[in-house]
């Protein structure tokens, strides 16, 4: 890097190093843990000074964290918005302070897209479509109704809204697919188990569980086994993420199919942040590369999974 010079706003020590303020959703799932590790490791590797906060899945904590990063005059702010709405005010404050903002993982529904430089993360509608497509394939020869229960992610979050929409679009092609119950499990195992217990009590003949993440699916497996049913056999289970514990359950035949959602956003985030701080143009949308796994593919992939 060149001589000291002005390394951007007050956040950097003038040595070209940048300071990033990162507001993380929380620590609600295996995915989130892997995502946090990816961001922290990538910051270290990129020589980015990282100020990191965990919002315990509360929007007001994220807003507080972003305000404190503005006060500290960091060079760049990155965050994963726990829900889609309610960000315009604080994002306008960051814009007025001339601090670039990068959305990672989840999106916001702000109409004013000048409030952030880019959104780096998965296409959650496509993830829902992939889950639905597998189901229509799996049950293509079935004539009877296919009763589906759905464990939604955090209410109001982009992944919950979009995974629900994508799945509904894919199964909407055939009226035999019936979503007989759909409720949030807040992306956690505990809540997933609790809600699945209620689903099982109210619905004797569930054929399929569609869970918006592995963790809720793993909690639901405990409920299914507690009810004396066999997960993967009596009730087919489709989840999204492909974290290690989910992949193990897939390899063990308890989960039937997993749509991957990669949490490894750290390196791309640091590249985008460095460019944003320098005022270089960056794409408004960077979509994560990710795939899907059957039970056989999980057995092959497990040994080399990073998370
Ligand atoms: C998706 C991410 C979701 C994961 C969940 O990108 O926001 O939040 O699917 C996590 O496991 O809790």
């Amino acid at each position: 890097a060149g001589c000291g010079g002005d390394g951007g706003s007050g956040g950097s020590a003038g040595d070209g190093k940048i300071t990033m303020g990162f507001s993380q959703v929380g620590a609600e799932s295996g995915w989130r843990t892997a995502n946090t590790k990816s961001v922290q490791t990538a910051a270290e590797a990129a020589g980015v000074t990282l100020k990191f906060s965990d919002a315990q899945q509360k929007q007001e904590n994220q807003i507080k964290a972003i305000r404190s990063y503005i006060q500290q005059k960091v060079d760049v702010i990155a965050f994963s918005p726990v829900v889609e709405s309610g960000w315009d005010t604080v994002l306008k404050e960051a814009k007025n302070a001339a601090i670039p903002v990068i959305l990672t993982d989840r999106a916001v529904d702000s109409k004013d897209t000048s409030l952030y430089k880019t959104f780096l993360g998965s296409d959650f509608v496509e993830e829902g479509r992939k889950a639905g497509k597998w189901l229509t394939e799996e049950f293509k020869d079935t004539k009877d109704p296919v009763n589906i229960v759905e464990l939604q992610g955090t209410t109001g979050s982009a992944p919950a809204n979009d995974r629900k929409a994508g799945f509904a679009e894919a199964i909407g092609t055939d009226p035999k697919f019936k979503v007989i119950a759909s409720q949030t499990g807040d992306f956690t195992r505990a809540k997933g188990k609790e809600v699945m217990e209620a689903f099982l009590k109210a619905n004797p003949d569930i054929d399929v569980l569609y869970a918006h993440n592995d963790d809720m699916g793993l909690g639901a497996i405990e409920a299914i086994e507690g009810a004396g049913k066999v997960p993967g056999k009596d009730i087919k289970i489709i989840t999204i993420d492909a974290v290690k514990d989910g992949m193990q359950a897939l390899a063990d035949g308890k989960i039937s199919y997993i749509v991957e959602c990669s949490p490894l956003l750290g390196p791309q985030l640091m590249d985008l942040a460095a460019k944003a701080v320098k005022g270089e143009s960056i794409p408004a949308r960077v979509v994560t590369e990710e795939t899907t796994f059957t039970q056989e593919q999980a057995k092959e992939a497990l040994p080399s999974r990073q998370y």
Side-chain angles (χ1 to χ4, degrees):
C3 64
D6 169 7
S9 59
S12 49
D15 58 3
K17 266 175 77 86
I18 62 174
T19 298
M20 173 186 284
F22 189 94
S23 167
Q24 180 59 293
V25 165
E28 73 282 1
S29 63
W31 190 98
R32 188 64 54 197
T33 308
N35 178 245
T36 290
K37 189 156 162 264
S38 175
V39 169
Q40 291 174 332
T41 309
E44 185 90 28
V48 168
T49 304
L50 183 70
K51 294 175 183 295
F52 181 91
S53 66
D54 169 334
Q56 283 102 35
Q57 289 187 280
K58 291 184 179 63
Q59 179 173 30
E60 65 267 21
N61 290 345
Q62 290 198 288
I63 290 172
K64 272 190 210 119
I66 292 168
R67 286 199 165 118
S68 98
Y69 296 144
I70 294 170
Q71 289 305 320
Q72 297 174 63
K73 297 187 179 351
V74 298
D75 296 301
V76 59
I77 291 171
F79 75 116
S80 168
V82 60
V83 292
E84 287 192 283
S85 310
W87 301 100
D88 285 34
T89 302
V90 74
L91 292 180
K92 282 192 182 105
E93 291 166 21
K95 186 178 178 186
N96 294 340
I99 299 176
V101 173
I102 294 176
L103 301 183
T104 88
D105 167 29
R106 297 186 184 177
V108 299
D109 61 8
S110 304
K111 296 281 168 292
D112 179 359
T113 54
S114 76
L115 293 175
Y116 52 91
K117 293 296 175 199
T118 184
F119 165 40
L120 160 63
S122 303
D123 178 343
F124 302 126
V125 178
E126 186 52 27
E127 291 175 346
R129 278 197 205 98
K130 288 177 184 175
K133 274 187 201 138
W134 179 84
L135 192 63
T136 54
E137 192 49 37
E138 183 71 10
F139 284 85
K140 68 178 181 304
D141 302 329
T142 308
K143 297 284 171 283
D144 306 332
V146 178
N147 293 327
I148 303 159
V149 293
E150 180 179 25
L151 284 170
Q152 296 181 38
T154 301
T155 304
S157 68
N161 291 337
D162 294 352
R163 287 171 180 170
K164 183 170 176 33
F167 182 77
E169 181 193 304
I171 65 167
T173 52
D174 185 335
K176 76 182 173 199
F177 294 109
K178 300 187 181 327
V179 178
I180 58 174
S182 180
Q183 199 177 322
T184 184
D186 213 15
F187 283 132
T188 68
R189 287 195 195 202
K191 200 86 178 92
K193 178 179 179 183
E194 189 189 307
V195 175
M196 190 66 199
E197 282 165 351
F199 283 166
L200 286 160
K201 284 202 184 74
N203 307 282
D205 51 352
I206 297 170
D207 300 304
V208 175
L209 163 65
Y210 169 47
H212 290 185
N213 81 332
D214 293 355
D215 288 67
M216 292 189 292
L218 293 163
I221 283 171
E222 289 177 42
I224 291 167
E225 290 175 332
K229 296 191 176 211
V230 181
K233 299 253 173 313
D234 300 331
I235 298 178
K236 301 270 185 218
I237 301 177
I238 309 161
T239 65
I240 300 179
D241 274 352
V243 294
K244 194 163 285 245
D245 290 351
M247 293 288 272
Q248 190 57 60
L250 180 60
D252 296 345
K254 295 189 176 184
I255 292 180
S256 312
Y257 188 68
I258 298 187
V259 174
E260 185 184 39
C261 174
S262 175
L264 304 179
L265 304 175
Q268 285 172 291
L269 171 59
M270 297 308 151
D271 287 349
L272 290 163
K275 290 189 171 82
V277 169
K278 284 187 215 129
E280 290 172 20
S281 78
I282 53 179
R285 179 77 175 90
V286 179
V287 183
T288 321
E289 303 271 314
E290 52 200 30
T291 181
T292 56
F293 292 97
T294 61
Q295 291 172 348
E296 280 320 303
Q297 288 163 338
K299 286 179 192 139
E300 283 150 35
L302 256 173
S304 60
R305 289 299 280 177
Q306 293 179 57
Y307 57 91

